[in-house]
Amino acid sequence: MPEKRPFERLPADVSPLNYGLCLKPDLIDFTFEGKLEAAVQVKNATNQIVMNCADIDIITASYAPEGDEEVHATGFNYQNEDEKVTLSFPSTLQKGTGTLKIDFVGELNDKMKGFYRSKYTTPTGDTRYAAVTQFEATDARRAFPCWDEPAIKATFDISLVVPKDRVALSNMNVVDRKPYPDDENLVEVKFARTPVMSTYLVAFVVGEYDFVEARSQDGVLVRVYTPVGKAEQGKFALEVAAKTLPFYKDYFNVPYPLPKIDLIAIADFAAGAMENWGLVTYRETALLIDPKNSCSSSRQWVALVVGHELAHQWFGNLVTMEWWTHLWLNEGFASWIEYLCVDHCFPEYDIWTQFVSADYTRAQELDALDNSHPIEVSVGHPSEVDEIFDAISYSKGASVIRMLHDYIGDEDFRKGMNLYLTKFQQKNAATEDLWESLEKASGKPIAAVMNTWTKQMGFPLIYVEAEQQEDDRVLKLVQKKFCASGPYTGEDFPMWMVPISICTSDDPTCAKMQILMDKPELTVVLKDTKPEQWVKLNLGTVGFYRTQYSPAMLEALLPAIRDLSLPPVDRLGLQNDLFSLARAGIISTVEVLKVMEAFVNEPNYTVWSDLSCNLGILSTLLSHTDFHEDIQAFVRDVFSPIGDRLGWDPRPGEGHLDALLRGLVLGKLGKAGHKATLEEARRRFKDHVEGKHILSADLRSPVYVTVLKHGDSSTLDTMLKLHKQADMQEEKNRIERVLGAISQPELIQKVLTFALSEEVRPQDTVSVIGGVAGGSKQGRKAAWKFVRDNWEELYNRYQGGFLISRLIKLTVDGFANDKMAAEVKAFFESHPAPSAERTVQQCCENILLNAAWLKRDADNIHHFLAQRRGPPATVPQVGDWTVNVEF
């Protein structure tokens, strides 16, 4: 690792109380003029003021002590590397309050950060630009000179000078709108004063929009702003937001503090959404739903993102982390409670089971690497902040909060949350402050338990074996750090305080025993447990650990998968644990394939989804062998019974999850070359293209991916035509994500070239290239070469930002030989990407792990798959579980 840059926070001599800010964006020349009049407090006499400032030119600056005359700054010294400016004054500024005035100019950049321009097309086909903001983490300083640190809070009086036919929005409601004296085509729009808040949550938007509105039960005005002519597509999000605000008000027992909230769809937007207080910005696909053309997974995504951003209005905006080290508190918490909120609005989504597949297992996968990091990372320089917006902050953060909520119980958890929000409102807090409030409310040792989960990286593997003693079952538990590379062999022995729940076949949905495991080994006695009863740990897959059962205990659990007596989330967790144990070389992959065959009767979408992901990982691994076709055959065998049961067309009375499952299964069968599925997909695709029978939104992805995977240049041309004609961003994205399925080398090049063309929005280029890398072995090689050949352009486009990390991960994660790991490492040594440094290390580690896995298990897997295709044997018994236990 290169030396960390020395970093200093801003000096505390002068601090802001109120920012009076007037900005005048020029939507033709892409510049803006700004006037800042800030009420500040000089705490220590000084002759300079240091603020954050980036890509801004200061024209004049002065300071006037209260009741005294103004003193002009004589020098502006920009420290560009540190994004700071020092204003020097000819005389000492004495203690007390005063007014700091700065006139400045800046550029409306095209980097999707700071005050930037976003391109859109009007209904009549003209290209225009909106001016929008994205300040988190450290880009408010690109819009106006400020004290751009989360703990330096102030109030804001914002006004915008804009063309009179444009919509102008900010955090607060409009209080005045008057003609601008110098130009009759402009108006000055003035917004109400904000509460005390952090700079990264300030926002403004200038553009053309329609809206739909509603009032929530508690009287808050909610509006959803959409592109012109698409107001209808804002209705679903509006409904969710109007239901969600009262839910949170009730959950936290703290009212929403502003008079209004706007949710707005921005055409060019790097993240999914941003929780600016009172003006939440979204990618179009995270907000807009068209009743006819949006699929079920899009609705669910919109509901989750709306729930996430609105949770921040309390947790993050009203109470803000003291420094970026505590970012996880914001993001982990919002990523957990978004599920609580969606479960409240849409119980039919079975969203908590989906949490395990979407967040919990994803976090465990990353956190098993040597190059993971603790949830709490000490962050200095702003360039290090981008790096921690990752699956550890969000998904592991959310998972440990889910575990904590379960450990405390809902009632005490809510009491603690209310204590915390009330005590720190309009202030800043650190992780310890939350633990203290929850400890007070619950009387449990929250800080002691949670420090083991947030201050050290990784999580435990719990090895368990059982012995029958008369009517009791005696369990012996051992905890060790779980490592992706196999049994832990480190010198130190990291330890976790693990809340463990245990259930038996007596009642699989209820814990027979709950304990806190606070030492390396533990023996527990389950009273009255008959020999024929099975025992399972981690009820509901809530504890953030993996479980390795003794062969006999596992054998006893398998029938409970087949007959579905084990609840869905437990079937999922069991399968996922086994898969990761095989990946780490602790058990054989063949044993897991045998367990996968036990899922023939599986009805649950999320269980299938997780199984499908794992088979996808295995399929990518085996694409490096000459028996890739055998794993495709296995996929066809596993998925065809459920495919036959579901068929192509929804039946009356089906719901959200049936639609998701049908799409998943048909796509999986189609990609694997299942003959009947391929033929039907081609037939329906032809009807769709000819306008005879339009595909339902839920069937589009599976059909598109199937015809492309087995298609030619005319299939690709047709898809690109559909892309051009699509009016909805969701449909464009849907097509962009599957283009990489095409398999001919020259067509792969065509898709890669398309990724960087004007046709694809900059934030979506990454998913096109990623789709190619994940589509085939040829695609993986081509995508990596393409990224190297176009590195300057790609890096310049995404600079810091997490999109560069995502691009790297999607492109190289699927390789599986040591030589490639060295090549990737060498490339980024000569083409450094500081904010993606950790991602590069994780990818190299993954490539080496893939290589080891292949070396270790390829022959066994090949043999197993080959004999499966031979003469049908009797029902396979799960073999002897060869287990390498090294405790």
Side-chain angles (χ1 to χ4, degrees):
M1 297 276 294
E3 265 307 284
K4 278 203 172 178
R5 305 256 323 268
F7 170 75
E8 285 177 15
R9 291 211 212 171
L10 294 169
D13 301 334
V14 181
S15 58
L17 304 166
N18 167 267
Y19 291 85
L21 181 63
C22 178
L23 288 172
K24 179 170 169 253
D26 181 330
L27 301 173
I28 310 298
D29 290 338
F30 306 139
T31 56
F32 61 88
E33 294 168 28
K35 278 187 184 326
L36 174 66
E37 277 199 28
V40 302
Q41 184 163 24
V42 178
K43 295 183 177 150
N44 300 308
T46 175
N47 61 358
Q48 53 181 37
I49 295 180
V50 184
M51 303 169 74
N52 290 114
C53 172
D55 303 333
I56 277 177
D57 286 322
I58 293 175
I59 296 159
T60 60
S62 68
Y63 176 74
E66 208 168 322
D68 213 337
E69 58 229 49
E70 81 185 313
V71 188
H72 284 273
T74 45
F76 317 136
N77 178 16
Y78 298 95
Q79 293 112 283
N80 292 335
E81 275 286 89
D82 291 330
E83 303 183 341
K84 288 176 184 169
V85 65
T86 302
L87 309 176
S88 308
F89 292 90
S91 53
T92 303
L93 313 180
Q94 298 303 329
K95 278 167 81 161
T97 52
T99 307
L100 174 67
K101 288 187 187 175
I102 302 179
D103 289 1
F104 58 94
V105 290
E107 96 166 297
L108 284 176
N109 69 66
D110 58 357
K111 298 275 189 273
M112 296 189 281
K113 60 185 190 181
F115 198 10
Y116 71 93
R117 60 187 190 260
S118 169
K119 186 168 155 184
Y120 63 97
T121 312
T122 64
T124 54
D126 296 340
T127 296
R128 290 193 190 151
Y129 289 86
V132 304
T133 56
Q134 168 59 35
F135 291 164
E136 191 179 24
T138 57
D139 291 314
R141 62 192 66 173
R142 287 170 206 283
F144 57 100
C146 56
W147 285 264
D148 199 9
E149 295 180 0
I152 307 181
K153 289 189 170 188
T155 57
F156 291 81
D157 295 309
I158 290 171
S159 45
L160 297 171
V161 177
V162 301
K164 61 180 182 205
D165 58 351
R166 298 293 149 104
V167 173
L169 301 170
S170 185
N171 305 79
M172 298 297 288
N173 47 305
V174 174
V175 288
D176 192 22
R177 190 185 166 99
K178 55 176 191 279
Y180 186 63
D182 305 350
D183 184 341
E184 59 185 24
N185 294 313
L186 301 179
V187 289
E188 181 168 356
V189 183
K190 200 166 175 291
F191 300 91
R193 176 168 291 190
T194 69
V196 175
M197 64 185 284
S198 301
T199 48
Y200 80 88
L201 294 165
V202 173
F204 15 92
V205 175
V206 180
E208 298 174 276
Y209 300 93
D210 286 345
F211 68 84
V212 284
E213 68 176 12
R215 267 194 197 280
S216 69
Q217 287 165 353
D218 33 10
V220 179
L221 181 63
V222 186
R223 283 184 176 177
V224 175
Y225 283 85
T226 70
V228 174
K230 296 189 177 177
E232 194 61 18
Q233 294 178 18
K235 285 194 163 156
F236 177 75
L238 182 68
E239 204 180 302
V240 177
K243 260 189 176 165
T244 296
L245 284 170
F247 171 73
Y248 286 147
K249 176 193 164 193
D250 181 51
Y251 194 84
F252 297 131
N253 198 8
V254 173
Y256 173 73
L258 309 185
K260 62 94 179 173
I261 189 159
D262 299 324
L263 292 69
I264 185 166
I266 305 291
D268 291 307
F269 199 76
M274 174 63 210
E275 69 267 21
N276 317 298
W277 215 355
L279 175 57
V280 185
T281 46
Y282 294 79
R283 266 193 192 201
E284 290 186 3
T285 47
L287 191 67
L288 304 180
I289 290 293
D290 172 352
K292 272 209 206 43
N293 291 300
S294 287
C295 59
S296 306
S297 58
S298 292
R299 279 170 202 276
Q300 178 176 303
W301 172 239
V302 168
L304 283 168
V305 179
V306 169
H308 179 101
E309 305 308 333
L310 294 190
H312 277 312
Q313 307 301 306
W314 283 263
F315 206 97
N317 302 8
L318 182 63
V319 176
T320 310
M321 68 251 148
E322 198 280 326
W323 185 247
W324 301 109
T325 301
H326 304 280
L327 171 82
W328 87 272
L329 256 193
N330 259 8
E331 296 306 346
F333 185 84
S335 302
W336 168 76
I337 207 166
E338 69 186 62
Y339 283 87
L340 199 69
C341 151
V342 167
D343 193 44
H344 163 79
C345 295
F346 304 100
E348 71 277 13
Y349 285 8
D350 179 32
I351 202 76
W352 278 116
T353 306
Q354 297 194 52
F355 175 90
V356 174
S357 180
D359 282 277
Y360 173 96
T361 57
R362 228 181 98 222
Q364 288 195 339
E365 202 172 304
L366 183 53
D367 206 25
L369 298 178
D370 294 341
N371 285 296
S372 180
H373 63 87
I375 283 181
E376 289 186 68
V377 186
S378 67
V379 172
H381 197 270
S383 67
E384 295 167 22
V385 179
D386 279 328
E387 228 188 341
I388 56 171
F389 284 83
D390 68 357
I392 298 292
S393 298
Y394 284 74
S395 300
K396 183 181 181 181
S399 301
V400 299
I401 286 176
R402 173 169 166 259
M403 171 168 72
L404 174 67
H405 172 265
D406 187 69
Y407 171 62
I408 295 179
D410 192 59
E411 195 182 328
D412 285 348
F413 186 86
R414 288 171 67 169
K415 245 194 290 194
M417 290 309 309
N418 172 267
L419 266 175
Y420 171 80
L421 288 170
T422 324
K423 180 173 176 185
F424 293 100
Q425 57 187 324
Q426 303 204 351
K427 296 195 191 77
N428 296 77
T431 305
E432 293 70 47
D433 297 314
L434 180 60
W435 298 162
E436 196 182 315
S437 297
L438 289 169
E439 208 153 289
K440 221 175 227 160
S442 67
K444 290 184 167 166
I446 306 302
V449 171
M450 294 308 287
N451 284 341
T452 65
W453 299 97
T454 69
K455 290 190 188 302
Q456 61 182 354
M457 74 176 201
F459 59 90
L461 170 64
I462 309 280
Y463 178 73
V464 51
E465 46 189 47
E467 193 188 337
Q468 191 72 27
Q469 292 186 355
E470 289 162 12
D471 283 346
D472 302 338
R473 189 81 51 91
V474 180
L475 303 181
K476 183 178 171 215
L477 312 180
V478 181
Q479 65 159 309
K480 253 191 178 179
K481 182 182 189 315
F482 178 71
C483 294
S485 55
Y488 179 71
T489 53
E491 295 297 297
D492 54 335
F493 287 97
M495 273 267 312
W496 286 264
M497 290 177 80
V498 196
I500 289 181
S501 55
I502 304 170
C503 66
T504 69
S505 42
D506 215 22
D507 184 355
T509 59
C510 182
K512 187 174 170 100
M513 181 177 233
Q514 285 174 308
I515 47 169
L516 186 64
M517 181 172 183
D518 54 4
K519 43 180 169 298
E521 302 194 11
L522 199 60
T523 303
V524 287
V525 179
L526 289 181
K527 295 263 177 227
D528 307 321
T529 305
K530 308 271 178 303
E532 65 279 6
Q533 288 183 352
W534 50 254
V535 170
K536 179 173 185 302
L537 266 62
N538 204 2
L539 178 72
T541 318
V542 174
F544 198 73
Y545 58 90
R546 292 199 182 277
T547 308
Q548 184 186 353
Y549 295 95
S550 68
M553 288 183 80
L554 188 61
E555 198 77 64
L557 279 166
L558 294 180
I561 294 179
R562 280 203 191 83
D563 67 18
L564 309 177
S565 55
L566 201 58
V569 70
D570 293 285
R571 302 197 291 269
L572 189 162
L574 191 62
Q575 176 269 133
N576 197 285
D577 278 355
L578 287 171
F579 187 77
S580 69
L581 288 168
R583 218 174 159 175
I586 296 172
I587 61 174
S588 148
T589 307
V590 170
E591 301 301 349
V592 185
L593 290 170
K594 291 179 185 171
V595 170
M596 286 177 170
E597 293 179 307
F599 282 83
V600 283
N601 311 314
E602 182 57 60
N604 184 282
Y605 159 70
T606 313
V607 177
W608 273 115
S609 164
D610 199 69
L611 195 67
S612 160
C613 269
N614 289 339
L615 277 170
I617 290 168
L618 200 53
S619 171
T620 298
L621 183 77
L622 298 178
S623 69
H624 301 279
T625 67
D626 52 7
F627 59 92
H628 190 227
E629 174 41 43
D630 294 359
I631 191 78
Q632 301 311 316
F634 183 82
V635 169
R636 295 193 294 267
D637 290 351
V638 169
F639 279 85
S640 50
I642 179 84
D644 294 343
R645 287 205 297 274
L646 285 166
W648 278 79
D649 297 303
R651 304 196 179 98
E654 276 190 359
H656 175 78
L657 293 163
D658 300 293
L660 292 180
L661 180 57
R662 178 173 291 108
L664 173 78
V665 171
L666 293 174
K668 204 73 180 166
L669 286 168
K671 258 201 311 207
H674 182 256
K675 205 158 165 287
T677 307
L678 175 55
E679 284 164 10
E680 183 63 10
R682 283 181 171 153
R683 191 182 68 73
R684 292 189 181 229
F685 183 65
K686 187 167 177 288
D687 286 354
H688 176 69
V689 173
E690 292 169 0
K692 280 193 203 139
H693 194 284
I694 297 299
L695 281 166
S696 74
D698 282 316
L699 285 178
R700 285 180 206 170
S701 276
V703 167
Y704 293 169
V705 79
T706 301
V707 298
L708 273 166
K709 180 82 185 163
H710 309 279
D712 54 19
S713 64
S714 73
T715 323
L716 181 59
D717 290 341
T718 308
M719 287 303 298
L720 293 174
K721 202 161 89 214
L722 288 178
H723 182 276
K724 209 174 180 61
Q725 292 163 355
D727 176 44
M728 258 198 108
Q729 199 51 38
E730 178 187 326
E731 175 74 359
K732 285 192 190 294
N733 284 168
R734 185 182 288 130
I735 294 168
E736 287 159 3
R737 279 200 293 268
V738 297
L739 289 173
I742 200 91
S743 46
Q744 297 85 329
E746 67 284 4
L747 300 181
I748 288 174
Q749 280 320 121
K750 189 171 172 178
V751 172
L752 288 167
T753 309
F754 173 75
L756 272 180
S757 71
E758 286 286 299
E759 298 291 316
V760 178
R761 290 201 172 271
Q763 73 251 22
D764 300 319
T765 298
V766 173
S767 54
V768 182
I769 298 173
V772 172
S776 61
K777 187 181 176 179
Q778 302 87 311
R780 194 172 312 123
K781 285 198 178 114
W784 169 230
K785 183 172 176 354
F786 184 80
V787 167
R788 283 176 311 180
D789 293 347
N790 295 277
W791 179 251
E792 301 309 316
E793 182 177 349
L794 288 163
Y795 187 67
N796 184 35
R797 188 185 267 205
Y798 305 118
Q799 284 184 343
F802 62 91
L803 283 171
I804 202 81
S805 296
R806 184 166 298 172
L807 174 70
I808 294 168
K809 187 172 168 50
L810 288 170
T811 316
V812 304
D813 239 7
F815 287 115
N817 67 55
D818 301 3
K819 201 165 105 271
M820 277 310 305
E823 185 179 307
V824 170
K825 185 168 182 275
F827 178 79
F828 289 107
E829 275 167 4
S830 56
H831 301 78
S835 69
E837 216 170 308
R838 188 179 273 125
T839 302
V840 171
Q841 292 164 341
Q842 288 163 349
C843 289
C844 292
E845 184 176 350
N846 268 326
I847 296 171
L848 295 172
L849 288 167
N850 287 341
W853 187 11
L854 207 51
K855 227 195 267 79
R856 192 176 58 234
D857 266 2
D859 291 348
N860 295 342
I861 297 171
H862 188 187
H863 180 75
F864 169 75
L865 293 174
Q867 59 84 30
R868 267 188 89 256
R869 303 188 71 179
T874 48
V875 179
Q877 290 305 309
V878 171
D880 55 353
W881 285 80
T882 40
V883 182
N884 331 340
V885 192
E886 293 182 22
F887 277 108

